[in-house]
Amino acid sequence: MSNLYCQIRLSSNQIKGVLYKNLRSFITIECHRPTILNKKGVDILHNPWFNKGTSFSLTERDRLDLRGLLPPNVQTEQQQIERFKTDLEKIEMNYMDGPSDTVTLAKWRILNRLHDRNETMYYKILTKQIKEFAPIVYTPTVGLVCQKYSGLFRRPRGMYFSAADRGEMMAMVYNWPADQVDMIVVTDGSRIMGLGDLGVQGIGIAIGKLDLYVAAAGINPQRVLPIMIDVGTNNETLLTDPLYLGLQENRLEGDEYISIIDELMEALFNRWPHVIVQFEDFQHKWASMLLERYRNTYRMFNDDVQGTAGVAVAGLLGAVRAQEKMMIDFPKQNIVVAGAGSAGVGVLKAARRTMARILGNNKHAFQSARHQFWVVDVNGLITEDRESIDDDVKPFAKKVSDIRCWRLREGASLREVVQEVKPDVLLGLSAVGGLFSKEILEAFRGSTSTRPTIFALSNPTTNAECTPEEAFSIVGKNIIYASGSLFKDVDLGNGEIGYCNQGNNMYLFPGIGLGTLLSGSRIISDGMLQAAAECLAEYMSEDEVVKGIIFPPLSSIRDITKKVAVAVISEAIKEDLAEGYREMNSRDLKRLNKEEILLHVENNMWKPDYPTLIYKND
């Protein structure tokens, strides 16, 4: 058993079941099997999936023809981690007085080089120190990486499909070496983190997201695939940049654009029928339309629309808890939303569904919920008097009869709306840094809530609608504050702390993906997304919420992801969408209680441990 270690765990209910049912379907087996390779020597050292660097044992070095190709000292994994930390410390010392962007970009380069040569160690470090390194591989550093990606590019990661590949995508997907892919993140680079159109350089966001799927959700890194769909760019700088790596032509529009996305989706699901595809950073005019086009046909979701919405709803429910009120009070909250793009619309729809569910989930409840939202875009308050309103926003446009008593009108400014409505929540998804000016925050001081809530959720930090220092100093120390990217907590004096919550999609999308994968659900339903949001809202203790802490620390992300995945699986079973995963078929999955579902989740999460490698000549 030296190369095959198995743990068999049985619950009491499962033990009863195996007395008269198929034993295998009730047993959760956790195995560390050896990995069989048909390569030796330098081919292994140059393969990041199998390379262990200086950690290869002497036995493995002999077995795999590695003796003499590595320094003689066999190091432990912890020694390798310490060497890596030393490299990072040198970077910090060398750039101590330099710009912060220079330091973070240098750290990203070191992490990227490790990723290129030793994936297991890369993910071990990322998993163990997720709080420290998530801001480097993801928000906010990934935005800087995408902006400079053409210059940073050294070796390909993921796949690139372009407008020049029309008619070839069905064949192209077979160029990817993995026969099994569980998770794909795809972007067209048109709206990267509020930074705008970055074209093919947007592949960086897909890579960063999948790193978090591996670290937080335990998706096997050999089963993830970042994809860039390059349909051109309207970024004038990139169109004339000789170093730019993408198509230097204007973006396709209309039916031409849709036909390319259609072809890609058909090709992906033809080769990998059970894959989950996450759409990322598509501009608003395409994000919602493509979501509606594919969501009932393919296992897919849009993180900007649905993930952001879920995190925001979880935060809004947490803010109600912080007021020491019951969830039944959520539909009474007045919410001003700054931003009517794909993220803003997603939050509006999700929050409205949550309110309606609390009110009874009937037609009257759904209509009643719309009255609690005040949507402001670049042209001011959106009402039914506006000449042209996006179809997704139209249900939230204020009726003229509803706003007369508020002394408001079509196009009223954000400050005027805040001043008149005195909302409980000021929610920013505008991608406009500093939008919540001193005047607007001063107006928000008039909020009738006992715990006024400010969500400045636009990424990266430069796009945040206001900083926590501005919010606490102007509105008051009793507020609830959350941002999309990480800010430091604020010292309020006298030993008091103004907590800066990070309302990041990272809390939800890994669990949504993992739960969907393990449930085998045919689609990702609104109910599954709702269950994920409510699970996150309930994660914090009452004591933490009363202090103003409504989101957990990133260091807890793997535990959060497990619980979110359980909620998603449970809802998929409830909605009769679950079809099972691998040896766990839908019938057996439905027999598990929540404790057993959690065990099922834990035992299907990949762990970054070096496998035993065995050579076998085919």
Side-chain angles (χ1 to χ4, degrees), residues 18 36 39 66 110 123 130 170 186 215 217 222 242 268 282 320 335 344 409 458 465 485:
V18 300
I36 309 299
K39 57 184 67 180
L66 295 173
I110 286 184
Y123 286 116
I130 191 73
M170 192 68 75
V186 60
Q222 296 185 37
L268 295 177
F282 284 70
V320 174
I335 302 171
R409 68 194 185 287
S458 293
E465 284 76 9
S485 293

Side-chain angles (χ1 to χ4, degrees), residues 428-441:
L429 287 160
S430 65
V432 179
L435 179 66
F436 296 165
S437 64
K438 180 182 178 183
E439 291 74 23
I440 290 170
L441 292 175

Side-chain angles (χ1 to χ4, degrees), residues 312-365:
V313 167
L316 291 170
L317 293 173
V320 174
R321 290 179 64 198
Q323 297 170 32
E324 299 186 75
K325 293 182 178 180
M326 305 294 289
M327 291 303 181
I328 192 69
D329 293 306
F330 178 51
K332 302 173 187 176
Q333 301 274 297
N334 276 312
I335 302 171
V336 171
V337 180
S342 56
V345 169
V347 170
L348 287 166
K349 288 181 176 179
R352 185 185 185 186
R353 281 195 300 269
T354 304
M355 287 183 174
R357 183 186 58 76
I358 291 172
L359 290 170
N361 227 7
N362 52 49
K363 185 176 181 181
H364 173 73

